[in-house]
Amino acid sequence: MRLSICALLAVAGTVPVFADSLLPPLTAQQSARAARLIQSFKQSPRGPFLRIRWFCKDGTVHPPAGTPCRERGGGNQHAELSPGAKELARYNIDVGTILVSQNFDQLFDARRDHHVLRQMVLQKYLIDIDDGWIYRQAMSYRGARQAEDEDKAGRLFLVRLLSNPQWTRLHYLLANEIVSVLPHGLPDSKVKRVRVLATSIAERDARFQPIRARIHSNPSDRDLELVEEFLAEKAPAAEPKRLIEELARLLKEEKSGRNLSSGLSRLPVAKRPALEAAVREFETALGEASSRERFFAAGAALTVEIHRAVTTSRDGEENLRLLDFNALLQEAAFAARIDLKGASRRQLLGHVRDHFRYALGAGLLSPRQYDALDGEIRTLESRREVSPGEWFQAVKYLTRSAEWTRAAVARDFGPVSRLYTPIEPAARALVDHLVRGSMALPLSHQVETLMADAHRAVGIRHAILGQGGGGGVVGLNPGIAVGRLGILATNQEAAGAVDPRGIYVIPETVSDLKPMAGILTLDSGNMLSHTQLLAANLGIPNATVPSSLLPMFEKLKSAELFYAVTPKGVVVVREKASLTPEERKLFVEKAPVRARFALDASRVNLQQREILRLADMGSRDSGILAGPKAANLGQLASYFPNEVAPGLVVPFGIYWDHINRTLPGDSEPLSRQIAAAYGEADRMRDAGASPTEISGFIYPRLDHFRKQIRSMPLLPAFQNALVDRMRKMFGEDGTYGVFVRSDTNAEDLPEFTGAGLNLTVPNQVGTMNILQAIREVWASPFAERAYEWRSRIMSGSDRVYPSVIVQRAVPSDKSGVIATVNLETGDRNESTVNVSEGVSAVVDGGVAESLLLLPDGSTRLLQQARGTYRKRLKSEGGFENVPVSGEERVLTDAEIARVRRLIAEVKAKYPPVRMDGGEAMPWDIEFGFEGGRLRLFQIRPLVRYQEVRLLEAFSKLEGPAAVSGPVRLDEGLAD
């Protein structure tokens, strides 16, 4: 008996996205210098400015006296940046931006993917939340900026920007945000100002913290009343009082909805019948003060029509007016409080659809995502009743919207937030600020209400530190862990030193994560990343949790927790001390422990010392001449010769020849040192040594092995043979690039996948670079991370032998991974596909386009790609990062059809790998498209951890049974 394929999808929740960007992160030295400059600006009466000057159109600069530009064609007077501000600009930190001093291309900043615009959104947030930020002393520096000039320059820029519907379609969220922060003659967003004021007040008066928490997490009609009561009863000091009074005024304006009526009359509706109809309907609904539901629904329809108009029109003036009104409309919807108590499920679904429309109108959802969600609702609306399982699956799909909306914000503003965070920690909260100040917040509340009903229908109830329900919590990999809680704030921390016995909250599933007892992920990552495969293989519990739980986890940092994810997806997190004696006995004292297995190297042939052609390899050679990667890829090439790039294989025997000798600085062969070190580490483990003791012994030795292999001279016969074979297969030296790929006998095993543990060196150009890359690949099994993951499950690491694949580089336009199974349900008639733009995109851990291919020929959207850049091969070797296209879809219909044919052919032709019970394993296939042509890079069985005893233990945590009978759409929610 085996566990079913575990779900690796994250649905709702949060995405403090930490993916890479086009710009390099600051070094530690640069960060320290930049932080000092920022602090100095905060204390300077001139902030980031040096002095006031006249800047004339003929290029001359003059002192502020008089009007020197009058006879020079005109000009403007404003501040000049200080040397410190110019130094920051070299770090891609652009402060003190004066609009009138910039031309369109400088502000547009296409080269850096509109980095200037994204910084303006971040800096406006910092100015609001940090008492003026770097301008706090410079607010009274007269003449630094001329408000009238800035309004005019901002308006001219926005009109031109919004005259390009193609750009607006691809950057609709950014367009909305930049309209809200760039001066052009209109007031700032009230919703965001309310949030900022609440934070500022709470920082000055701790008694205000409960009201601030309400405003940030669950705003309601009571907010104004609570603020007014606080003002009357708590006698705040002068500065908080002034801020509280401003907050009360904004809440009153928000509640009254004024400015909407006057704004309607100025909307450009000529020759736009659909927009005009939506405006008239909203105008009627606005006049019916008693019908909030109609007002909310009419506004939802109007914001969608505004989106359609702005993304198809070249009239920048009209588009700016529409987006200005759209901001008011979104604020009014955010402030609306619709009482749906007693509403039927059908009515609630209609209300959720309206929230999706507002999210589309704000740029938080793409049209593709909206259509997918709307299609799910329409399918439900066509039924009178559904089974509990159908209701659960449908609502679970709708909850993806919460993650999708946050992903949109994180894609646009995550990179700039991360760039600034080392020098200005407040920047870390930008994504959360934008999400919670938008319609994403009430949307998440609506779908969580439906999800709670769906959980009751099928008997699922999460338990997170005493909180039931668990909106935004999704179980990924089943498992049980007991350990101390750690919180890793960045990818760098997640890839660094961790306690393998600890339970960690991590920002996302990163590609180079070290093993740990349990993982609480703040991002879905992607379902086929190497870390996800390893965690699933080893039974490490992993779940997605929303960032709203982060403060609670931070309070329990270093506390011992009990953490479980069941095969059914129930997530349980409790303090270990709260376990009853019976639970402690079942889950702690007798918790199932995965037995380590001994690596079988009995079939390895170390006598083969000739370089092989990849096309000559087959599954018969796996674990004998080379690893399963080369064997399977060679087998794949025999079925798909035009799709697999040519390559050479350096077998195990050549590696053995190189280490089975005494290298400079050593007194005995390296192979003997390796066997002795691993043997002692295994003995220490069997004797009960702690992980710290074992790592203290083995890490220095691993470091020595790596250094020796990286620097050892290659045997002349091998080097000469390889150079000759590469010239014959690939061409003259320097005219081609290759991927130098690791392939050991300790991966893709029935017991252990080993995905991504060893090195692949991409796009190496030139003989010397390729030869060094082979050394690097041979050294990679001795990396600390590789050792930790392997030793967790197997003994005999001294018998790990790496072969190497040297394969022609393919300049893929898009690349990804196919799992020939539905990873969430285990359905073998469905396939899961993850794909992103560029080379080597998905397995590195980035968030990809994720599709479910259904047997009826249809495709279900699971995730829209949210990368900020794509990798492109460079002719001189390596990668360069360039902006993604920004299109909603990565795979075209023709490419999806080709993937379907590939899956069918693999299932029909490729020899299956079977589990102990005889069932064939699904396949994990790495692929790409080059100019529409399918390319194949790897195939391997999709291994999962399976343990019968664990299943029996989990049944104790599954909760109550599902409700009996169907779920009726015209009835209210279950109690």
Side-chain angles (χ1 to χ4, degrees), residues 82 151 223 225 249 435 447 581 606 709 747 816 842 861 919:
S82 68
D151 279 350
D223 294 344
E225 180 182 343
R249 178 182 60 79
V435 170
V447 294
L606 298 178
I709 294 173
E747 56 191 88
V842 172
L861 176 67
E919 184 181 8

Side-chain angles (χ1 to χ4, degrees), residues 797-930:
S797 285
D798 59 302
R799 298 186 294 277
V800 174
Y801 303 109
S803 59
V804 180
I805 304 170
V806 180
Q807 189 174 20
R808 182 69 179 259
V810 176
S812 303
D813 309 309
K814 50 196 78 171
S815 55
V817 184
I818 302 163
T820 61
V821 65
N822 181 329
L823 286 170
E824 189 170 5
T825 66
D827 190 333
R828 300 295 186 90
N829 295 313
E830 301 170 354
S831 295
T832 308
V833 179
N834 278 11
V835 62
S836 293
E837 295 183 31
V839 180
S840 298
V842 172
V843 295
D844 287 343
V847 176
E849 174 176 276
S850 185
L851 306 173
L852 187 64
L853 307 186
L854 303 174
D856 64 0
S858 63
T859 302
R860 187 175 177 85
L861 176 67
L862 303 178
Q863 175 66 276
Q864 189 166 308
R866 65 165 185 257
T868 57
Y869 75 100
R870 58 188 172 90
K871 294 178 182 176
R872 185 168 64 189
L873 300 183
K874 296 167 65 176
S875 59
E876 65 271 26
F879 294 128
E880 62 179 341
N881 291 345
V882 297
V884 294
S885 69
E887 293 291 345
E888 290 185 352
R889 300 185 60 178
V890 177
L891 289 182
T892 66
D893 289 339
E895 289 165 343
I896 291 173
R898 182 66 188 92
V899 168
R900 285 184 178 277
R901 292 197 300 274
L902 168 68
I903 293 170
E905 290 176 87
V906 166
K907 288 181 175 180
K909 297 177 180 178
Y910 208 86
V913 175
R914 299 191 181 277
M915 296 183 282
D916 293 344
E919 184 181 8
M921 289 185 182
W923 292 107
D924 166 4
I925 306 168
E926 292 183 22
F927 73 102
F929 278 99
E930 178 191 4

Side-chain angles (χ1 to χ4, degrees), residues 228 342 378 383 463 743 775 895 941:
E228 290 178 333
R378 289 180 183 277
R383 307 273 296 275
D743 187 25
R775 295 186 185 92
E895 289 165 343

